[in-house]
Amino acid sequence: MATFRIKRFNPEKQPEPYFEEFNLDIPEAATLLDCMNQIKWTLDGSLSYRMSCRSAICGSCAVKSNGHALLACQQQAEHLVDDNDTITLEPLGNMKPIKDLVVDFTPFRDKINQVKPYLEPKDEAPEKERLQSQEEFLIIDDASTCIMCGACYSDCNTLEVDENFLGPAALAKAQRFVGDSRDSKTLQRVQDLSEPGGIWDCTHCGECVERCPKPARPFDRIKEIMTVALENGVHDNNGARHALAFTSSVKRQGILNENLIAPGTMGWFNIPGLLSLIPIGLRMLLKGKIPPIIPHSIEEVDDVKRIFKELDQ
Amino acid sequence: MIEHDVVIVGAGLAGMRSALEVCKELDVAVLTKVYPSRSHSGAAQGGIAASLGNSEPDSWEEHMYDTIKGGDFLNDQDAVEEYVKAAPRIIYELEHMGCVFSRTPDGKIAQRSFGGHSKPRACFSADRTGHAILHALHEQLMKNAKSVKIYNEWYMHSLVVDGDRCNGVVVSNIQTGDVEVIRAKAVIFCTGGYGRVYKITSNAFASTADGVMAAFQVGIPLEDPEFVQFHPSGLYQQGILFSEAARGEGAYLLNGKGERFMETYAPSRMELAPRDIVARAEQSEMDAGRGVNGEDCIHLDLRHLGEARIMERLPQIRQLAIDFLGIDCVTDPLPIQPTAHYSMGGIPIDKEGHVIVDADQTKMQGFFAAGECSCVSVHGGNRLGTNSLLEAVVFGERAGKSVLKYARGKDFGNVNEGQEKAKVLEKFEDIFQRDGSVSYNDIREEMKEIMMTHCGVFRDEEKLKVCIETLKGLQERFKRGKVTDKGKLFNTEIYEIMELGNMLSMAEIIAAAALYRQESRGGHFRTDFPKRDDEKFLHHSLVYDSPDGFVIKTKPVVITKYQPAERTY
């Protein structure tokens, strides 16, 4: 017998959410969604959640189980039971709950819309198909597996503090077009995606890759967009400058010289930008967080330089 | 009252493709009870057919003949001809929209073999072709967001009709529970199939006959509802689809003794015979006690394909089997069984997507349909794999074009908003007021069970009569069901109850038509009439509602090029 601890919420009845427990024998080979259905159909019909295909392709049934977003239809319930024989279910994070496990997807969808998620072809359509090599297909294959379930969006650490961030799903969708050999707007796309809220606001925590139920793996796609942006010379923004300053520091000294990263990120001649850093610099000084002023290289710096040289080739 | 020139119900391939056509000139609304990207078209895995000839020379004529033979000669051949001729253009257009396709070494769209097709003509995107097309169309809708209004998570209750003209739909917002009337010059139904009436099914929870029943309730007949396709490879006990592409790539079917039993049933096509034949072969093996471990289970063996090929061509379904059964098809055979998959029958339409109400092709004004909810009939008694995605896109486009022609310059019809709303509100109230004791879940389970055992792969008169009686009993019990959630906010229970009501009626229609058709053809097999009977039954059936029960009429099959011949593989 397992306990399903489910976060209930129905503002028609009471304004605050609460947890309710249901006990259920998990049938053999039952998925989490099977169990949710058992609860709904035999214990409490008022429990609301979304579901449709039950084969991990429609993306309806994403919920948080034991604190992490997943597709309920894709998981064997047995695997989710914790040491107390309990499975805790909550609605997805970073989106507003509507009722029980149902959340409002509007911001998620709006952000996907923002990345111009459609092909802008290079030329007039030919009579037959546009040719695309299998290698070119593979560049966009992973991103195209996204089912818009919202699991990545739910658990994204950046979104938790910055709701302007486009989020992993929208950026993965963007890569699907940035990488498409048939698309004409690559440069425009990477320029737009380098703006605040875009690729450089990702904190690289990798949570979205952990949560993604498909091979879409948003952070991997974000890195690919970053590469395309840098290759196309889209450097004129804090994110790209930060990445380049970081690389150049390690390349030169084999170690990060953090004192150079800040002006490198802001731009050496960006006086207002640099001035804006002074308060934070002072606060760091007071807390003893300022890195050593005199830069030094590591002993094996030549090895690092050799690695960079080989990578360049 | 909400007003749009055109309202499309359903946002799968057919719905979105028709919306892209209509939005060129008119104000269009697309209504879906899920989200467009969550439509069940996305679950289609293996491919979409077209005689591109990218891996072997091919022609529309061969595609046409394969389709008709596959359909056991019940297809309307004029419709099939236009449909297969349109296929290459339709695929190229999808590619131009940005649809992601797997490629040949020279960069063309790759094509593979599929059951019943004599040439490799399934264009595919790994094993998620429906998903790829669904998202490509969805992307185009987002591009045209200014001219298409999408109603996500709205449920369609009924059609608004005035005489022979359709003037809109009555709908409700699932999130708020508010009932609204949408007045429109034309309505297109793209509401999909009704596989959920069966216990073992590949269909989504949303595939519940809402559209077909709304049409039936305003006097429109349903065509060929007895023809339900059982897919040979549903994951054991779950019914989840495991693509025919596995067999297209060379997988074997093995019985409990480890024999490739298709040798007995279809020696020339083996595992790649049409689905009705393979599903029956499996059921026969299981019924004869030759299932795996003596159970209702067959093995699908992919091991000889090797990991590299499986990862390139079938990665998603490999993962599916790992997630759902804990079995990796690279190292072990997969347990499968026939699963209710596709409805060949539906709302009768002509080649242009107009809904017709009789054998004389009389049109219902302002009402159109496309895709699985409709019956045009390109599939006849049995659909070939990869032909359904094609149907959805071809006839979605056609319905869109027809609607433009029809609705251009038309005025809105008269709608009595209060009266229409009241009818639906009463329906809600009726369910809320029931303080019965019967569990809707029990009713649903019993319906699914009886349909599986008595109206499934093999049928006979006795079983069908029991089935119909059982369903009638369930319909009575349905009126005394027990409801828990009486709120308005995202009340999924009330919608499940309404869907169940639709399914109970639909199930009876399927069984009644199956009882009527005393022959075996395509997906409909009567053990008491095991042969096809062209003399008596080479016609479509049209099931009408009447105060005295169902009335079944006939509609001739259009035969142009190919005379019915014996069907062997």
Side-chain angles (χ1 to χ4, degrees):
Chain A
M1 182 75 74
T3 302
F4 287 77
R5 203 169 148 263
I6 302 180
K7 196 170 195 177
R8 303 296 305 267
F9 175 55
N10 185 352
E12 274 184 340
K13 288 188 172 167
Q14 88 178 57
E16 292 303 320
Y18 59 96
F19 278 97
E20 186 172 359
E21 292 187 354
F22 298 93
N23 292 322
L24 190 77
D25 278 320
I26 297 175
E28 200 195 322
T31 62
L32 174 58
L33 181 61
D34 291 335
C35 295
M36 288 157 65
N37 285 336
Q38 277 307 310
I39 292 169
K40 181 174 178 63
W41 293 340
T42 62
L43 299 175
D44 186 352
S46 70
L47 177 64
S48 288
Y49 47 89
R50 294 186 174 104
M51 60 166 178
S52 191
C53 78
R54 89 223 140 89
S55 51
I57 191 70
C58 80
S60 300
C61 66
V63 292
K64 262 191 182 179
S65 165
N66 301 338
H68 298 297
L70 46 72
L71 280 185
C73 77
Q74 199 184 24
Q75 304 286 331
Q76 296 286 315
E78 284 291 349
H79 299 168
L80 300 171
V81 177
D82 68 13
D83 295 341
N84 300 317
D85 287 330
T86 300
I87 299 179
T88 302
L89 297 181
E90 294 168 273
L92 291 180
N94 291 327
M95 284 179 268
K96 215 174 82 209
I98 295 173
K99 184 189 175 200
D100 295 339
L101 303 175
V102 177
V103 298
D104 180 7
F105 264 77
T106 312
F108 174 89
R109 301 254 160 191
D110 286 349
K111 285 173 182 174
I112 292 205
N113 259 319
Q114 273 181 45
V115 304
K116 298 203 174 94
Y118 39 81
L119 190 74
E120 305 240 38
K122 279 183 178 150
D123 38 34
E124 283 291 293
E127 191 193 337
K128 293 188 171 180
E129 70 266 59
R130 291 193 175 88
L131 298 182
Q132 183 168 56
S133 71
Q134 181 71 14
E135 292 70 36
E136 288 166 334
F137 158 77
L138 286 176
I139 293 172
I140 55 174
D141 185 31
D142 286 338
S144 76
T145 64
C146 172
I147 55 174
M148 299 193 188
C149 64
C152 60
Y153 194 94
S154 160
D155 288 17
C156 172
N157 287 304
T158 306
L159 276 166
E160 214 176 304
V161 293
D162 177 10
E163 60 179 19
N164 291 320
F165 182 46
L166 281 168
L171 292 173
K173 187 75 176 171
Q175 190 276 333
R176 138 92 197 78
F177 297 100
V178 167
D180 195 322
S181 61
R182 302 167 294 180
D183 195 81
S184 62
K185 302 280 194 215
T186 314
L187 182 62
Q188 183 64 50
R189 287 182 192 277
V190 292
Q191 280 169 345
D192 292 348
L193 294 166
S194 299
E195 294 291 316
I199 44 176
W200 300 108
D201 284 1
C202 165
T203 57
H204 303 204
C205 69
E207 191 70 17
C208 55
V209 173
E210 292 295 312
R211 301 301 148 228
C212 180
K214 289 286 167 183
R217 301 169 61 94
F219 177 49
D220 290 353
R221 308 287 83 78
I222 293 171
K223 281 187 284 188
E224 285 162 1
I225 303 175
M226 288 171 172
T227 308
V228 175
L230 295 179
E231 280 170 1
N232 277 274
V234 184
H235 300 157
D236 194 17
N237 58 73
N238 290 357
R241 276 192 298 263
H242 181 79
L244 293 172
F246 203 105
T247 318
S248 110
S249 168
V250 176
K251 192 174 178 178
R252 222 172 318 113
Q253 296 174 287
I255 191 174
L256 195 59
N257 181 346
E258 291 176 82
N259 293 321
L260 295 181
I261 296 295
T265 300
M266 282 297 170
W268 284 97
F269 303 106
N270 178 1
I271 305 301
L274 291 173
L275 289 175
S276 75
L277 292 175
I278 290 175
I280 192 172
L282 288 174
R283 284 205 302 277
M284 286 169 73
L285 189 67
L286 287 173
K287 301 271 182 192
K289 297 279 185 189
I290 287 286
I293 302 294
I294 300 159
H296 66 280
S297 300
I298 59 165
E299 279 177 22
E300 302 88 351
V301 65
D302 286 343
D303 287 345
V304 174
K305 284 181 178 162
R306 189 173 46 76
I307 292 169
F308 269 94
K309 205 171 162 191
E310 280 187 22
L311 281 174
D312 283 344
Q313 286 164 354
Chain B
M1 185 160 57
I2 305 170
E3 263 183 14
H4 291 283
D5 289 335
V6 178
V7 58
I8 298 168
V9 183
L13 260 50
M16 289 203 279
R17 187 64 191 82
S18 61
L20 289 175
E21 223 44 52
V22 180
C23 79
K24 287 175 184 166
E25 286 182 41
L26 299 172
D27 154 47
V28 56
V30 177
L31 185 120
T32 162
K33 65 177 177 175
V34 287
Y35 278 85
S37 65
R38 295 173 179 177
S39 307
H40 197 50
S41 302
Q45 295 168 349
I48 176 166
S51 55
L52 305 184
N54 282 355
S55 39
E56 266 182 51
D58 197 1
S59 66
W60 66 262
E61 288 91 343
E62 288 163 279
H63 188 184
M64 179 174 174
Y65 184 71
D66 290 343
T67 299
I68 291 166
K69 186 181 176 191
D72 223 347
F73 297 89
L74 192 70
N75 324 54
D76 286 327
Q77 298 187 6
D78 55 342
V80 180
E81 180 167 340
E82 293 187 21
Y83 153 79
V84 296
K85 276 181 175 169
R89 175 184 60 81
I90 283 288
I91 303 291
Y92 294 140
E93 279 177 8
L94 289 172
E95 198 280 335
H96 297 158
M97 286 177 194
C99 184
V100 180
F101 282 107
S102 295
R103 301 285 172 156
T104 62
D106 53 355
K108 294 179 183 168
I109 295 171
Q111 295 190 280
R112 67 177 158 216
S113 300
F114 242 77
H117 289 283
S118 57
K119 293 288 165 62
R121 64 170 72 97
C123 310
F124 61 95
S125 180
D127 54 357
R128 41 177 183 270
T129 314
H131 168 85
I133 301 173
L134 187 75
H135 282 261
L137 292 175
H138 187 215
E139 288 156 11
Q140 294 301 306
L141 274 196
M142 290 193 267
K143 189 175 177 181
N144 290 286
K146 284 196 185 110
S147 37
V148 184
K149 162 90 180 152
I150 299 178
Y151 291 83
N152 292 312
E153 302 189 314
W154 283 63
Y155 185 87
M156 184 277 302
H157 295 273
S158 57
L159 283 161
V160 179
V161 292
D162 181 12
D164 69 343
R165 184 175 167 185
C166 174
N167 291 326
V169 281
V170 190
V171 297
S172 66
N173 181 338
I174 294 173
Q175 187 177 328
T176 62
D178 293 335
V179 175
E180 298 279 356
V181 176
I182 304 183
R183 180 156 79 156
K185 296 168 184 173
V187 174
I188 312 179
F189 269 16
C190 303
T191 55
Y194 36 81
R196 293 304 302 180
V197 301
Y198 286 94
K199 182 181 174 190
I200 304 291
T201 177
S202 64
N203 283 196
F205 283 108
S207 305
T208 52
D210 311 326
V212 281
M213 287 315 301
F216 190 71
Q217 276 150 10
V218 297
I220 291 161
L222 295 185
E223 183 172 346
D224 295 341
E226 64 272 38
F227 292 97
V228 175
Q229 176 168 84
F230 284 80
H231 192 291
S233 49
L235 242 39
Y236 181 53
Q237 288 183 331
Q238 299 262 11
I240 295 166
L241 181 63
F242 201 91
S243 178
E244 184 171 329
R247 280 171 287 132
E249 298 292 344
Y252 301 145
L253 289 173
L254 307 175
N255 63 15
K257 295 164 137 182
E259 299 162 338
R260 281 181 75 187
F261 58 88
M262 284 310 296
E263 185 96 48
T264 324
Y265 302 88
S268 73
R269 296 286 298 169
M270 295 294 285
E271 281 85 356
L272 285 179
R275 289 176 180 169
D276 58 331
I277 293 174
V278 181
R280 266 195 300 280
E282 291 179 356
Q283 194 66 48
S284 303
E285 290 296 304
M286 298 180 322
D287 291 349
R290 292 192 292 272
V292 175
N293 300 328
E295 289 177 28
D296 270 4
C297 174
I298 291 293
H299 269 158
L300 180 69
D301 192 350
L302 289 84
R303 289 174 294 183
H304 56 286
L305 300 180
E307 185 168 358
R309 182 85 171 166
I310 290 173
M311 280 315 289
E312 184 199 334
R313 295 296 182 89
L314 308 162
Q316 177 189 263
I317 53 178
R318 177 194 180 193
Q319 193 60 44
L320 264 180
I322 292 174
D323 292 339
F324 288 92
L325 300 172
I327 296 177
D328 185 350
C329 63
V330 170
T331 50
D332 291 290
L334 289 171
I336 56 161
Q337 71 183 123
T339 182
H341 182 59
Y342 186 85
S343 3
M344 270 70 76
I347 304 166
I349 57 168
D350 68 12
K351 286 182 295 179
E352 312 306 325
H354 293 271
V355 171
I356 52 173
V357 298
D358 57 27
D360 302 324
Q361 306 270 324
T362 308
K363 289 172 192 166
M364 173 94 182
Q365 299 298 310
F367 188 27
F368 301 76
E372 189 177 349
C373 72
S374 70
C375 179
V376 56
S377 150
V378 288
H379 306 307
N382 169 61
R383 173 177 71 76
L384 293 186
T386 69
N387 267 353
S388 64
L389 291 183
L390 180 63
E391 180 202 12
V393 188
V394 168
F395 289 96
E397 183 201 33
R398 281 180 162 231
K401 284 195 188 326
S402 299
V403 162
L404 280 184
K405 234 187 266 172
Y406 170 87
R408 218 178 264 145
K410 262 237 163 36
D411 289 326
F412 285 101
N414 287 323
V415 173
N416 184 335
E417 189 193 7
Q419 198 182 318
E420 295 296 340
K421 244 182 173 168
K423 279 191 268 181
V424 170
L425 285 169
E426 268 168 40
K427 229 163 98 180
F428 272 100
E429 216 35 52
D430 169 47
I431 296 175
F432 284 143
Q433 291 307 324
R434 295 175 191 174
D435 46 7
S437 53
V438 184
S439 145
Y440 286 111
N441 186 49
D442 291 349
I443 299 175
R444 185 167 42 227
E445 294 301 311
E446 286 173 45
M447 169 192 74
K448 291 161 77 73
E449 183 72 37
I450 194 81
M451 286 300 285
M452 202 70 204
T453 53
H454 285 60
C455 192
V457 175
F458 291 117
R459 304 156 171 183
D460 64 39
E461 183 174 328
E462 200 183 320
K463 277 187 184 173
L464 288 168
K465 282 182 170 163
V466 172
C467 181
I468 290 169
E469 280 317 301
T470 308
L471 290 169
K472 283 187 194 298
L474 292 174
Q475 287 163 2
E476 281 308 310
R477 279 166 61 197
F478 177 74
K479 295 174 190 160
R480 303 190 307 274
K482 183 175 183 293
V483 61
T484 329
D485 193 347
K486 299 192 178 181
K488 287 185 82 179
L489 185 71
F490 225 100
N491 181 343
T492 50
E493 186 185 42
I494 188 92
Y495 289 98
E496 285 183 357
I497 294 170
M498 292 194 190
E499 290 170 340
L500 176 60
N502 284 333
M503 287 194 287
L504 286 169
S505 307
M506 189 64 225
E508 194 191 345
I509 295 170
I510 298 171
L515 183 63
Y516 157 77
R517 188 173 284 275
Q518 295 179 330
E519 65 157 354
S520 291
R521 181 190 299 271
H524 168 71
F525 197 96
R526 287 280 298 260
T527 49
D528 45 352
F529 297 95
K531 290 262 183 289
R532 193 173 83 197
D533 187 347
D534 285 343
E535 219 163 275
K536 284 193 194 147
F537 288 102
L538 184 55
H539 56 243
H540 301 288
S541 41
L542 292 178
V543 184
Y544 290 82
D545 203 7
S546 92
D548 310 319
F550 301 142
V551 175
I552 298 180
K553 297 183 184 173
T554 66
K555 183 179 147 206
V557 174
V558 180
I559 294 172
T560 56
K561 281 196 158 65
Y562 304 106
Q563 286 304 314
E566 201 194 341
R567 182 172 176 249
T568 52
Y569 288 94

